Amino acid sequence: MTKANTIKKNWEFQEIINTKRQIVSKHLIIYYRPSKMFKVGISIPKQFANAVYRNHYKNQIRAILRSMDVNKINYETVIIARKTFFELDFQNKSIEITKLYERILDGKK
């Protein structure tokens, strides 16, 4: 993942969320819209963890995305973590994120 693959601006997050296309699981919500290249924004709500842990979880998600083959994913996505996501171990987090991206590619809700 490079800087070109990250979403940082609030208005970019809002544009993707406002498309209302989402995949929901017990642990994560992923909003998405078709694009020419893969882009991702990660959001961890403030009420769930302090800044240190929010950065830790974001880094974990980035590491999982680096291990995936994101070249075939032509979507702009926003990942929002739910509280139960923090209780999972790294392996289960990886499985959860991979499953959700597979659902997006398959076109299933």
Side-chain angles (χ1 to χ4, degrees), residues 63-96:
I64 292 166
L65 291 173
R66 276 192 294 271
S67 68
M68 292 172 52
D69 182 24
V70 295
N71 294 328
K72 62 183 177 184
I73 303 172
N74 291 327
Y75 287 95
E76 291 179 345
T77 60
V78 172
I79 299 174
I80 301 175
R82 291 182 164 179
K83 190 164 186 123
T84 57
F85 181 74
F86 311 129
E87 299 162 4
L88 299 174
D89 62 340
F90 187 79
Q91 185 66 32
N92 287 332
K93 288 177 184 176
S94 179
I95 291 168
E96 184 74 22

Side-chain angles (χ1 to χ4, degrees), residues 11-50:
W11 60 271
E12 290 178 300
F13 275 84
Q14 290 305 318
E15 281 183 354
I16 295 168
I17 291 171
N18 288 340
T19 60
K20 295 188 170 99
R21 296 177 76 184
Q22 64 184 357
I23 296 284
V24 179
S25 77
K26 184 178 178 183
H27 309 291
L28 292 168
I29 303 169
I30 299 181
Y31 290 92
Y32 63 96
R33 72 175 181 187
S35 177
K36 293 179 181 170
M37 63 180 282
F38 176 74
K39 280 186 146 191
V40 66
I42 303 167
S43 176
I44 311 287
K46 265 188 177 179
Q47 68 230 25
F48 296 155
N50 64 21

Side-chain angles (χ1 to χ4, degrees), residues 93-106:
K93 288 177 184 176
S94 179
I95 291 168
E96 184 74 22
I97 291 172
T98 306
K99 278 184 187 176
L100 291 177
Y101 273 105
E102 285 173 0
R103 283 175 59 192
I104 290 172
L105 291 174
D106 291 343

